[in-house]
Amino acid sequence: MLNFESDYTTGCCPEILDRLIATNLESQSGYGFDEYCKEAEIKIRAVCNAPDAQVEFIAGGTQTNQVVIASMLQRHQGVVAARTGHISCHEAGAIEYTGHKVFELPQVLGKIRSNDLLDLVRRFYADANHDHMVFPGMVYISHPTEYGTLYSLSELTSISEVCHEYGMPLFLDGARLGYGLMSNRTDVTIQDIARLCDVFYIGGTKVGALCGEAVVFTHGNRPEHFLTMKKQNGALLAKGRLLGIQFDTLFTDNLYFRIAKHAIDMAERLKTILSDAGFPFLLDSPTNQQFVILDNATMDRLSKDVKFGFWETVDEDHTAVRFATSWSTSAKELDKLQTLLK
Amino acid sequence: MLNFESDYTTGCCPEILDRLIATNLESQSGYGFDEYCKEAEIKIRAVCNAPDAQVEFIAGGTQTNQVVIASMLQRHQGVVAARTGHISCHEAGAIEYTGHKVFELPQVLGKIRSNDLLDLVRRFYADANHDHMVFPGMVYISHPTEYGTLYSLSELTSISEVCHEYGMPLFLDGARLGYGLMSNRTDVTIQDIARLCDVFYIGGTKVGALCGEAVVFTHGNRPEHFLTMKKQNGALLAKGRLLGIQFDTLFTDNLYFRIAKHAIDMAERLKTILSDAGFPFLLDSPTNQQFVILDNATMDRLSKDVKFGFWETVDEDHTAVRFATSWSTSAKELDKLQTLLK
Amino acid sequence: MLNFESDYTTGCCPEILDRLIATNLESQSGYGFDEYCKEAEIKIRAVCNAPDAQVEFIAGGTQTNQVVIASMLQRHQGVVAARTGHISCHEAGAIEYTGHKVFELPQVLGKIRSNDLLDLVRRFYADANHDHMVFPGMVYISHPTEYGTLYSLSELTSISEVCHEYGMPLFLDGARLGYGLMSNRTDVTIQDIARLCDVFYIGGTKVGALCGEAVVFTHGNRPEHFLTMKKQNGALLAKGRLLGIQFDTLFTDNLYFRIAKHAIDMAERLKTILSDAGFPFLLDSPTNQQFVILDNATMDRLSKDVKFGFWETVDEDHTAVRFATSWSTSAKELDKLQTLLK
Amino acid sequence: MLNFESDYTTGCCPEILDRLIATNLESQSGYGFDEYCKEAEIKIRAVCNAPDAQVEFIAGGTQTNQVVIASMLQRHQGVVAARTGHISCHEAGAIEYTGHKVFELPQVLGKIRSNDLLDLVRRFYADANHDHMVFPGMVYISHPTEYGTLYSLSELTSISEVCHEYGMPLFLDGARLGYGLMSNRTDVTIQDIARLCDVFYIGGTKVGALCGEAVVFTHGNRPEHFLTMKKQNGALLAKGRLLGIQFDTLFTDNLYFRIAKHAIDMAERLKTILSDAGFPFLLDSPTNQQFVILDNATMDRLSKDVKFGFWETVDEDHTAVRFATSWSTSAKELDKLQTLLK
C-alpha cells in the first residue's frame, strides 16, 4: 500500500536514530537543561541570524500553539487567526480551553490579508465600547498554511507592520516550515521570518523528527516564568534530551533543509504525475501538500492501493483529496503511483 | 562523573531503540491509531488481567495527571491527594490551571491514610453547607510515592473501599510503577492495582522509555470524547507510534519488569554500600529512590565526583540527599561509588 | 437633558421599590432560599405554562450567559451564536474565559438562520476528523436581538428542530424579552419560548428591575449541582431576596408585561416622530430599540440636548444612532424630542 | 421567630431605600460611570486617608474575591490563605476555577501568622526546583475572620511586611469590615488597613446594604483593563448606580460605622445574656458573630423559637452554634431571647 496520507506516517530520518543511539548512555540533565537543547538553540539562533533569540522545545504542535499563545496573551486579550487556521478549527478548542478567544479573519488560499487585519483592529479601537470586548492581542498565521500555500515576503512584511503598529506580537506556526522554506516558489527565508515575527516555531514532527517543535522567541522576548507556564500546560518533558538531540541533529549539516528539499522535489514530481494523468488541482500549492480533484470512480479505484487524505467534496462526482510527501517519500513510490494512474 | 541524580538522566533501554529502527519506515496512522498502540494495549490489558481495560498513551507525567484528572472530574469537583503528592506541590499548578481544586491530606511517609480520607469525605457530606464547597470527586495516590514508599495491599484496599463507597474514582500515579512492582518488599501486583483502582498509569519516562506513560482505565470507564479532551490539553501526539512502539516493546518478554528489577537490585546494593559507609537514611525506601543523610563535609567532597539530588536540610551539619537507580545503573558505577565513599 | 441612550439609565419601576420597603425587615433565608424566589418561580412557571420548569435568579446578563452556558456545555463542546450575538462580541470573552469556544454564524438582521445552523452541524458530523474539533453543543440566540429584531414563530420552530435533532440545547437570551413579547409585530409568546427552548432568561435589568435575570430551565433540565457551579462563577447572591422580590413583583398583576407594553407604545411614537422629521432607519425594529440615521450636523446639534447611543458610521456625512425607550420613558420626553427635531 | 442566623437575613438600612427612591428617576450612565459611584469613591478615599486609592464596586463577596485575585495574580502564581479562609473552603472553588492554586496556611483563631507565611515563602524560594511549583503571588486574609476574630495592628503590620518583602500584594477580605472597625477591642483603623494592604474590600452585603462590596486599590494599583476583566468574570453590573447609591449613602454621615457600632453593641449585650445564662463560648469573639456552646437539649428547645447557625459538634451532648447581630438587630429581640433562655 502506498501512503501519501500525510507527512507524519513514517518514523524519523535515520540520522536522528543514529544520534539517539550514540548518546543513549550519556547522563544529561532533565527538563531542557541538557547539552543538546543548548547546542540546538545555538545552531537555530545562528541559522535565523537572530543572536538574541531564545529557543524552547515542545513535544507537539497543538501543545506548542497552546503554550505559546497562552503565555504571551494577557487575560483580556485574544488571538487573531484565519478562519481556516489550525487553532480556529482543528485543535479541539485548545486555545479557548486556556480562556482566550480566537478571532477569525476571512482567508484567501488559507492566508489572512493585512488589510482585513488592519480593518479588524481599527474597528476595535474605534468602538467606544471596546472595553467590553476582547482585545486583539496577538496574530497567528501558519506558513505553509493548512492549504500548503505560502505568504510572500511582501505579504508577511505588511502583516508584521500592522501587528507592530498595534502592539500585537506576530506568531508564525511553522509545523511544516521546512517545506515552505525549500519551496521553489518562495521569497521568504528563515531570517526574514525571524526578523518579521516575534515568535515562530520550526516544525519537527511533520519534517523528519519523531516528535518536537522548536519555538523561537526572536528577540529575547520569551515570557518570564516560561518554564513554569510550560509545566502548567503539561508541556515540560522530563527527558528534554529527546527534543534537543533531534533538533541538534536536524540543524547539523543542514539536514532539516535537505530533507525538506527532498520532499519538495518529490511533491513537484507528484504534481507532474497527477497533472499528466489529467487531474485538475483544487489550488496551486508550492509545498509538500497537493490538493487534487479526482472523479469518484478513480478515487475509489485508487484507494485500494493508495492512501491519501479526504479534503472536501467538490460536486456530486468529484472529490478533492490531499497527497503529502515527506522526507521518506521515494522516487519508487512515485513510479508505482504513476503506474497505478495509467 | 557518576550520576545518581534521577531515573531519567539517560536515554532508553536499547530494545526500544532497536524497535524504533526496525519499524522506522513503516507507514502508520497517526494519533494513536497505529498498530503498536493497539498491540501495546492488548499486552497491557493481559498483564493487568483486565479484559475491559482501555489504554491510552500520553507523552509525560504532568500531562497525564492533568488530562486524566480534568477529564474525569466534573466541574464542581476537586481531587484529593497527599500534601506531598506530585499534583499538590510539584506540577506548577497544572491541576488548578484546569479549574479544579486539589484537596491536601496529611501524609505519612508520603502516603495518605484511608481514615484521613474517610474523615474528609464524611465531614464534607455532614456539612449542611457543602453545596458551597468543592466536592471531593476523585482520589490521587502515587505508588511508589514521592518518597519511594509503597502502599500495602491492605492499605490500597482500604483506600479503594472508601473511594467506591463515596463514588470517587481512585487514580494511581505510577510514574515509577515498575520499581514498586519489583520491590522486594511489596505485596501489591499490577493485577491488584487494576482491580482496586479505576485508572492508573504505567510510567515509561522514569522506567526505561524515552518518554510516555500508559494510562489504564481499568473497567471500560474511559471518559467519552477522551481523544477530543486529550487534544484540548495539547496531549495528542501526531506520531502516536512513538509511544505505541515503546510500550509494545516494554511489555514484550517482560522487559518492563526486568529492567525495573535490575534497578531494584542496584538500589539494594546501593543501600548496603551507603549503610556500610555509616550513613543513616531519612526513611526506609523499598524502591529505587534512596534518601540518605550525609554530613555536609562528605556531601561537598562527594559532589565533585557524583551527582545526586538535594532533598532537604536535616540540621546545620547534615543534609538528606536522593540517590536514584534506573535500568541503566551498572554494578561498575556502584563499585566506583563504594570506592569514593571509603 | 433627554436620555434615550439605553433602557438601563433610570432606576426601577416604583412597584419594586414599594415592595422592597414593605419586606425590608422580614428575615429571609439567603442564597435564593427565601419565600420570594419561591413565589416568583411559581408565577413564572405559570405564565410560561411549563409546570416542570425550574427558575434561577442571577444578578446580571453577562453573568447569566456565562453561568448557563458553562454549566450546560460539556468540556469538548462549544456554543453556536450569531456573529453579532452578545456572547460573540460584547461580553469581553466571558464564555471563552470558562474554556468554551463560541462558533459564529452569519447573521441577518441580527438573527441566525436555521439553514446556516443545520449546515454547520452537518459539516461538523460529516468531517471524518471531527474528534479533533470542538463539538457544537448548544445554540444561543437573543430575542429581541442586539438589533431589536425578533424571530418569528416559524423561525424559532425551525431552529429548535435543528437543535433537538442534533442534541443541542437551545438557549434564548431574553435580556429584553418583555419588549419582544409586547411588540405589535410578533407571533411568539412566552409559552412558545418555554416550549421551543431548553433554557431562556427573562431580563430584569433592562425591563424595569434594579438588577436581575430569571433563568428558566423549561423542562426540569437544570444541570445537577447548579448552585455549586453558580457559586463557582461568583454568581450566587447572599441576599437572594433582592432578586426574588423584584421578580415576584414583576410577575404580579402582569407588571412585567405592562411596563414592556408602555415602552413599546413609546417606541412606536418615537418612530413616528423620527420618521415624520424625515429621518430614515437603519433597519425596521419592532421593539424598544430604534436605529435611526442622522446627518452629522443634526446629530451634533441634537446631542446638546439629547443622549442617544452611537451605533455605526453610515457614510462620511451620516451616522446610525440608537434610541431606546423603557418603562420610564414619558410622553412628555417624546414631546420635547419632537420639538427639538423641528 | 427570632432570627440570629446571619447578618444578611433582613433587607437594608432604611437610608439606602430612601436614597433609591429619591434618585430613581434620574438618568445615569451604566457600568459604574454614574455620579454615585464617583461620589462614593471620593468619600471612601477620604475616610481611608488614601488620596491615590481607586474604588470599584462589585455585587457580591465570592465574586469580589474571584475578580480581585484573578486580576492581580499572574498565571504562574497562587494565593496564600488560612485553611479556614473563605476562599480556601467556602467559595466552591471559585479561585481554582480561574486557574489559580490556593495555598493553605495553618490558622489560629481563624488568623494566619506572619511566621508561617514567612516560612512558606522562604521554603519556596530556597527550593532549587521552585520553577516547577506555583509561586506564592498574593496573600489573602479576612478581617474579621470567619471566626469573628480580628488581627491586631501589630499582627497586620508583620504580615504586611512579609508580603512586601516578597513582592506579594496583601488582600484583606472585609465582608464584615464594619464590625471589625467598630469592635470595642481593636487597635486597627480603616486608615491602617489602607496603609498596610494593597487591596481590600468594604463589605456591604453583610453590613446593611442590599448587595455590593467596595474594593479599594489603596495606592493607584488597580490592574490595567480591570473593567474588561470584571466583565469577563460576569461581574460588571449594567445599573452600577445600584452599588454607587448604596455606598454613597453608607459613607454619608458615617452611616456605615454607625450601623456597625449598633450591631457591636447588640453583640456585646447578646454575649452578656448568653454568658449570664451559663453558656460557655467556643472562642472569644470581639465582633458581631458569637459562637456559643449549647447543650443539645437547650439547642433543640431554643430552635423552636430562635434561628441560629450550626457551627460544629463539640461532643456528644454539646454543639457550638453561631449567633450574629446586624444593623437590624433590636434590643427587643434580645429581651425576647433573654426571656427564652430563662
Side-chain angles (χ1 to χ4, degrees):
Chain A
M1 191 89 171
L2 291 173
N3 194 329
F4 295 97
E5 203 177 8
S6 78
D7 34 23
Y8 47 89
T9 58
T10 53
C12 64
C13 50
E15 290 84 347
I16 286 178
L17 288 177
D18 291 347
R19 198 70 177 286
L20 287 175
I21 293 165
T23 60
N24 195 45
L25 288 174
E26 290 176 8
S27 274
Q28 292 285 343
S29 296
Y31 304 114
F33 294 106
D34 61 282
E35 291 167 35
Y36 299 103
C37 282
K38 279 176 215 153
E39 272 304 308
E41 180 172 33
I42 290 169
K43 284 171 181 152
I44 287 171
R45 217 183 263 147
V47 83
C48 290
N49 193 21
D52 298 330
Q54 294 151 324
V55 184
E56 293 277 340
F57 302 98
I58 293 178
T62 304
Q63 196 169 63
T64 301
N65 286 332
Q66 189 175 46
V67 171
V68 168
I69 292 169
S71 68
M72 294 192 77
L73 286 182
Q74 294 189 59
R75 224 193 88 179
H76 63 292
Q77 299 176 326
V79 57
V80 184
R83 193 149 301 147
T84 49
H86 218 68
I87 59 166
S88 304
C89 51
H90 284 104
E91 308 265 49
I95 304 307
E96 289 88 352
Y97 189 61
T98 68
H100 297 284
K101 183 182 179 67
V102 180
F103 294 92
E104 297 183 5
L105 279 188
Q107 55 88 18
V108 177
L109 294 175
K111 297 187 277 183
I112 62 167
R113 286 171 304 199
S114 59
N115 277 346
D116 290 332
L117 176 61
L118 188 58
D119 188 49
L120 178 148
V121 186
R122 279 193 182 152
R123 273 185 297 116
F124 174 82
Y125 284 105
D127 191 320
N129 293 316
H130 70 251
D131 279 340
H132 294 246
M133 299 160 73
V134 178
F135 283 61
M138 189 170 185
V139 175
Y140 165 97
I141 56 176
S142 27
H143 180 87
T145 67
E146 293 71 16
Y147 285 88
T149 53
L150 292 171
Y151 287 91
S152 69
L153 183 55
S154 132
E155 288 169 337
L156 202 58
T157 304
S158 299
I159 291 170
S160 176
E161 282 167 4
V162 175
C163 285
H164 297 139
E165 190 183 339
Y166 287 93
M168 302 179 295
L170 176 57
F171 173 34
L172 184 147
D173 174 336
R176 294 186 166 97
L177 188 61
Y179 307 126
L181 295 171
M182 291 297 105
S183 167
N184 301 326
R185 284 179 286 152
T186 185
D187 58 352
V188 173
T189 65
I190 196 167
Q191 294 87 358
D192 291 329
I193 289 171
R195 182 172 48 81
L196 295 168
C197 297
D198 298 282
V199 54
F200 70 99
Y201 79 85
I202 302 170
T205 305
K206 290 169 180 168
V207 192
L210 283 168
C211 65
E213 328 294 325
V215 181
V216 185
F217 293 97
T218 59
H219 45 83
N221 58 324
R222 181 180 52 201
E224 273 192 83
H225 302 291
F226 191 77
L227 185 142
T228 307
M229 291 191 281
K230 206 157 83 164
K231 179 128 195 170
Q232 210 170 55
N233 271 121
L236 186 63
L237 224 52
K239 287 185 182 167
R241 67 193 290 150
L242 172 60
L243 304 174
I245 289 167
Q246 292 187 85
F247 275 95
D248 190 34
T249 306
L250 286 169
F251 282 86
T252 297
D253 297 335
N254 288 316
L255 179 61
Y256 188 75
F257 301 101
R258 285 187 283 121
I259 62 176
K261 180 67 170 61
H262 169 78
I264 289 294
D265 290 345
M266 294 295 105
E268 289 297 322
R269 223 196 114 199
L270 173 74
K271 212 187 308 190
T272 308
I273 290 169
L274 291 164
S275 177
D276 287 355
F279 299 112
F281 289 82
L282 184 68
L283 54 84
D284 179 17
S285 157
T287 60
N288 75 315
Q289 300 182 82
Q290 296 297 324
F291 302 89
V292 66
I293 298 172
L294 302 180
D295 58 279
N296 294 349
T298 301
M299 185 174 71
D300 291 346
R301 178 173 63 77
L302 207 58
S303 65
K304 281 166 199 146
D305 302 297
V306 186
K307 274 196 175 172
F308 40 77
F310 168 83
W311 198 252
E312 62 185 54
T313 299
V314 172
D315 62 34
E316 222 169 282
D317 301 321
H318 295 82
T319 304
V321 299
R322 184 182 76 171
F323 283 75
T325 62
S326 78
W327 67 275
S328 69
T329 306
S330 68
K332 225 180 192 165
E333 288 172 301
L334 292 176
D335 291 345
K336 278 189 197 158
L337 177 68
Q338 193 166 25
T339 309
L340 284 165
L341 283 171
K342 270 173 191 161
Chain B
M1 190 88 170
L2 291 174
N3 196 329
F4 295 97
E5 203 177 9
S6 77
D7 34 23
Y8 47 89
T9 59
T10 54
C12 65
C13 50
E15 291 83 347
I16 285 179
L17 287 177
D18 291 346
R19 198 71 178 284
L20 286 174
I21 293 165
T23 59
N24 195 46
L25 287 174
E26 289 176 9
S27 275
Q28 292 285 345
S29 296
Y31 304 114
F33 294 105
D34 60 282
E35 290 166 36
Y36 300 103
C37 281
K38 278 175 217 157
E39 273 303 309
E41 181 173 31
I42 291 168
K43 284 170 181 152
I44 287 171
R45 216 183 265 145
V47 83
C48 291
N49 193 21
D52 297 330
Q54 294 152 323
V55 184
E56 293 276 338
F57 302 98
I58 294 180
T62 306
Q63 195 168 64
T64 300
N65 286 333
Q66 189 175 48
V67 171
V68 169
I69 292 170
S71 68
M72 294 192 76
L73 286 182
Q74 294 191 58
R75 222 193 89 180
H76 63 292
Q77 299 175 326
V79 57
V80 183
R83 193 149 301 146
T84 48
H86 219 68
I87 59 165
S88 304
C89 52
H90 285 104
E91 307 268 48
I95 303 308
E96 289 88 352
Y97 190 60
T98 68
H100 297 285
K101 184 182 179 68
V102 180
F103 293 91
E104 298 182 6
L105 278 189
Q107 54 89 20
V108 176
L109 295 176
K111 299 188 276 184
I112 62 168
R113 288 171 302 200
S114 59
N115 275 347
D116 291 330
L117 177 62
L118 188 59
D119 187 49
L120 179 147
V121 186
R122 278 194 183 150
R123 272 186 296 116
F124 174 81
Y125 284 105
D127 190 323
N129 292 317
H130 70 250
D131 280 340
H132 293 247
M133 299 160 74
V134 178
F135 283 59
M138 188 171 186
V139 174
Y140 166 97
I141 56 176
S142 26
H143 181 87
T145 68
E146 293 71 14
Y147 284 88
T149 53
L150 292 171
Y151 287 90
S152 69
L153 183 55
S154 132
E155 288 170 337
L156 203 58
T157 304
S158 298
I159 292 171
S160 175
E161 281 168 5
V162 176
C163 286
H164 296 139
E165 188 183 339
Y166 286 93
M168 304 179 294
L170 176 56
F171 172 34
L172 183 147
D173 174 335
R176 296 187 164 96
L177 187 60
Y179 307 127
L181 296 171
M182 290 299 106
S183 168
N184 301 324
R185 284 178 286 152
T186 186
D187 59 351
V188 173
T189 64
I190 197 167
Q191 295 86 356
D192 291 328
I193 290 171
R195 181 171 48 82
L196 295 169
C197 298
D198 298 281
V199 54
F200 70 100
Y201 80 86
I202 302 170
T205 305
K206 290 169 179 168
V207 192
L210 284 168
C211 66
E213 326 295 325
V215 181
V216 184
F217 293 97
T218 58
H219 46 84
N221 58 323
R222 182 178 53 202
E224 273 193 84
H225 301 292
F226 191 77
L227 186 143
T228 306
M229 292 190 280
K230 205 157 85 164
K231 179 130 195 169
Q232 210 170 54
N233 271 121
L236 187 62
L237 223 52
K239 288 184 182 168
R241 67 192 290 149
L242 172 60
L243 304 174
I245 289 166
Q246 292 187 85
F247 275 93
D248 191 33
T249 306
L250 287 169
F251 282 85
T252 297
D253 296 337
N254 290 317
L255 179 61
Y256 187 75
F257 302 100
R258 283 188 285 124
I259 60 176
K261 181 67 170 60
H262 169 79
I264 289 294
D265 291 345
M266 294 295 105
E268 290 296 320
R269 221 195 114 199
L270 173 73
K271 212 186 309 190
T272 307
I273 291 170
L274 291 164
S275 179
D276 287 355
F279 300 112
F281 290 83
L282 185 67
L283 54 83
D284 179 18
S285 158
T287 60
N288 75 316
Q289 300 182 82
Q290 295 298 324
F291 304 88
V292 65
I293 297 172
L294 300 182
D295 58 279
N296 293 350
T298 301
M299 184 175 72
D300 290 347
R301 178 173 62 76
L302 207 59
S303 67
K304 282 166 197 145
D305 301 296
V306 187
K307 275 194 175 173
F308 41 77
F310 168 83
W311 196 252
E312 65 185 53
T313 298
V314 173
D315 61 36
E316 225 169 278
D317 301 321
H318 295 83
T319 304
V321 300
R322 184 182 74 172
F323 282 75
T325 63
S326 80
W327 68 274
S328 69
T329 304
S330 68
K332 226 182 194 162
E333 289 171 301
L334 292 176
D335 291 345
K336 279 188 198 159
L337 178 68
Q338 193 167 24
T339 309
L340 284 165
L341 283 172
K342 271 172 189 163
Chain C
M1 191 88 171
L2 291 173
N3 195 328
F4 295 98
E5 203 177 7
S6 78
D7 34 22
Y8 47 89
T9 59
T10 53
C12 64
C13 50
E15 291 84 345
I16 285 179
L17 287 176
D18 291 346
R19 198 71 178 286
L20 287 173
I21 293 164
T23 60
N24 195 46
L25 288 173
E26 289 176 8
S27 274
Q28 292 286 345
S29 297
Y31 306 113
F33 295 105
D34 61 281
E35 290 168 35
Y36 300 103
C37 282
K38 276 175 218 156
E39 272 304 307
E41 179 172 34
I42 290 168
K43 285 171 180 151
I44 287 171
R45 217 183 264 147
V47 84
C48 291
N49 193 21
D52 299 330
Q54 295 151 324
V55 183
E56 294 277 339
F57 303 98
I58 294 179
T62 305
Q63 195 168 64
T64 301
N65 287 332
Q66 189 176 45
V67 171
V68 169
I69 293 170
S71 69
M72 294 191 76
L73 286 182
Q74 294 190 57
R75 222 193 89 179
H76 63 292
Q77 299 176 326
V79 57
V80 183
R83 192 149 302 147
T84 49
H86 219 67
I87 58 164
S88 304
C89 51
H90 284 103
E91 307 267 49
I95 304 308
E96 289 88 352
Y97 189 59
T98 67
H100 296 285
K101 183 183 180 68
V102 180
F103 293 91
E104 297 182 5
L105 278 188
Q107 54 88 19
V108 177
L109 295 175
K111 298 188 276 183
I112 61 167
R113 288 171 302 201
S114 60
N115 276 347
D116 290 331
L117 176 61
L118 189 58
D119 187 49
L120 178 147
V121 186
R122 279 194 183 151
R123 272 186 295 116
F124 174 81
Y125 284 105
D127 191 320
N129 292 317
H130 70 251
D131 280 339
H132 294 245
M133 299 161 75
V134 178
F135 283 60
M138 190 171 185
V139 174
Y140 166 98
I141 56 177
S142 27
H143 181 86
T145 68
E146 293 71 15
Y147 285 88
T149 53
L150 291 171
Y151 287 89
S152 69
L153 183 56
S154 130
E155 288 169 337
L156 203 57
T157 304
S158 299
I159 290 169
S160 175
E161 282 168 4
V162 175
C163 286
H164 296 139
E165 190 183 340
Y166 288 94
M168 302 179 294
L170 176 56
F171 172 35
L172 184 147
D173 174 336
R176 296 186 165 95
L177 187 61
Y179 307 126
L181 295 171
M182 290 298 105
S183 168
N184 301 325
R185 285 179 284 152
T186 186
D187 58 352
V188 173
T189 64
I190 197 167
Q191 296 85 0
D192 291 329
I193 289 171
R195 181 173 46 84
L196 295 168
C197 298
D198 299 281
V199 54
F200 69 102
Y201 80 85
I202 303 170
T205 305
K206 291 168 178 170
V207 193
L210 285 168
C211 65
E213 327 295 324
V215 181
V216 185
F217 294 96
T218 58
H219 46 83
N221 57 323
R222 182 179 52 202
E224 272 192 85
H225 301 291
F226 190 76
L227 186 144
T228 307
M229 292 191 281
K230 205 158 83 163
K231 179 129 195 168
Q232 209 170 56
N233 271 121
L236 186 64
L237 224 51
K239 288 185 182 166
R241 65 193 291 151
L242 172 59
L243 305 174
I245 289 165
Q246 292 188 85
F247 275 94
D248 190 33
T249 307
L250 287 169
F251 282 85
T252 297
D253 296 337
N254 289 316
L255 179 61
Y256 188 75
F257 301 101
R258 285 187 284 122
I259 61 176
K261 180 65 170 61
H262 170 77
I264 289 293
D265 290 345
M266 293 295 105
E268 289 297 321
R269 224 198 113 198
L270 174 73
K271 213 187 309 191
T272 308
I273 290 169
L274 291 164
S275 177
D276 287 355
F279 300 112
F281 288 83
L282 184 69
L283 54 84
D284 179 17
S285 158
T287 60
N288 75 316
Q289 301 181 81
Q290 295 296 325
F291 303 89
V292 66
I293 296 172
L294 300 180
D295 59 280
N296 294 349
T298 302
M299 184 174 70
D300 290 346
R301 178 173 63 76
L302 207 58
S303 66
K304 281 166 200 146
D305 301 297
V306 187
K307 274 196 176 172
F308 39 78
F310 168 84
W311 197 253
E312 64 184 54
T313 298
V314 172
D315 61 36
E316 223 169 280
D317 300 323
H318 295 82
T319 305
V321 300
R322 184 183 75 171
F323 283 75
T325 62
S326 79
W327 68 275
S328 69
T329 305
S330 68
K332 225 179 190 167
E333 289 171 300
L334 292 176
D335 291 345
K336 280 190 198 159
L337 177 67
Q338 192 166 26
T339 310
L340 283 166
L341 282 173
K342 270 174 190 160
Chain D
M1 190 90 171
L2 292 173
N3 194 329
F4 295 97
E5 202 178 7
S6 77
D7 34 23
Y8 47 88
T9 59
T10 55
C12 62
C13 50
E15 292 84 346
I16 286 178
L17 287 177
D18 291 346
R19 197 73 178 285
L20 287 174
I21 292 164
T23 60
N24 194 45
L25 287 174
E26 291 176 9
S27 273
Q28 293 286 344
S29 296
Y31 305 114
F33 295 105
D34 60 281
E35 290 167 36
Y36 300 102
C37 282
K38 278 175 216 154
E39 273 305 307
E41 180 172 33
I42 290 168
K43 284 170 181 152
I44 287 171
R45 217 183 263 146
V47 83
C48 290
N49 193 22
D52 298 330
Q54 295 152 324
V55 184
E56 295 276 338
F57 302 98
I58 294 179
T62 305
Q63 196 168 62
T64 301
N65 286 333
Q66 188 175 48
V67 171
V68 168
I69 292 170
S71 69
M72 294 193 75
L73 286 183
Q74 294 191 57
R75 223 193 89 180
H76 63 293
Q77 299 175 328
V79 57
V80 183
R83 193 151 300 147
T84 48
H86 220 68
I87 58 166
S88 305
C89 51
H90 285 104
E91 308 267 49
I95 304 307
E96 289 89 352
Y97 189 59
T98 69
H100 297 286
K101 181 182 182 68
V102 180
F103 293 91
E104 298 182 5
L105 279 188
Q107 55 87 21
V108 177
L109 294 174
K111 299 188 276 182
I112 62 167
R113 287 172 303 199
S114 60
N115 276 346
D116 289 332
L117 177 61
L118 188 60
D119 187 48
L120 179 147
V121 186
R122 280 194 183 150
R123 272 186 295 115
F124 175 81
Y125 284 105
D127 190 321
N129 292 317
H130 71 250
D131 279 341
H132 293 247
M133 298 160 75
V134 177
F135 282 60
M138 189 170 186
V139 174
Y140 166 98
I141 56 177
S142 26
H143 182 87
T145 68
E146 293 71 16
Y147 284 89
T149 53
L150 292 171
Y151 286 90
S152 69
L153 183 55
S154 131
E155 287 170 337
L156 203 58
T157 304
S158 298
I159 291 171
S160 175
E161 281 168 4
V162 175
C163 286
H164 296 138
E165 188 183 341
Y166 288 93
M168 303 180 294
L170 175 58
F171 172 35
L172 184 147
D173 174 335
R176 296 186 165 96
L177 187 61
Y179 307 126
L181 296 171
M182 290 298 105
S183 169
N184 301 325
R185 283 180 285 152
T186 185
D187 59 353
V188 173
T189 65
I190 196 167
Q191 296 86 357
D192 292 328
I193 290 172
R195 181 172 49 82
L196 295 169
C197 298
D198 299 279
V199 55
F200 70 100
Y201 80 87
I202 302 170
T205 305
K206 290 171 179 166
V207 192
L210 283 167
C211 64
E213 326 295 325
V215 181
V216 184
F217 293 97
T218 58
H219 46 83
N221 58 322
R222 182 178 52 202
E224 274 193 82
H225 301 292
F226 190 77
L227 186 142
T228 307
M229 292 191 281
K230 206 158 82 164
K231 180 130 195 168
Q232 211 170 54
N233 271 121
L236 186 64
L237 222 53
K239 287 184 182 167
R241 67 192 293 149
L242 172 59
L243 304 174
I245 289 165
Q246 293 187 85
F247 275 94
D248 190 33
T249 307
L250 287 170
F251 283 85
T252 297
D253 298 335
N254 290 317
L255 179 60
Y256 188 74
F257 301 100
R258 285 187 285 122
I259 59 175
K261 179 67 170 58
H262 170 78
I264 290 294
D265 291 345
M266 293 295 106
E268 289 297 320
R269 224 198 113 198
L270 174 72
K271 213 186 310 189
T272 308
I273 291 169
L274 292 164
S275 178
D276 286 355
F279 300 113
F281 290 82
L282 185 67
L283 52 85
D284 179 17
S285 158
T287 62
N288 76 315
Q289 300 182 82
Q290 295 298 324
F291 303 89
V292 65
I293 297 173
L294 302 180
D295 58 280
N296 294 348
T298 302
M299 184 175 73
D300 291 347
R301 178 174 62 77
L302 208 58
S303 66
K304 280 165 199 148
D305 302 297
V306 187
K307 275 195 175 173
F308 40 77
F310 167 83
W311 197 253
E312 63 185 54
T313 298
V314 173
D315 61 35
E316 225 169 279
D317 301 322
H318 294 83
T319 305
V321 300
R322 184 182 75 171
F323 282 76
T325 63
S326 79
W327 69 274
S328 67
T329 306
S330 68
K332 225 180 193 165
E333 289 171 301
L334 293 175
D335 292 344
K336 278 189 199 160
L337 178 67
Q338 193 167 24
T339 309
L340 284 165
L341 283 171
K342 273 173 189 161

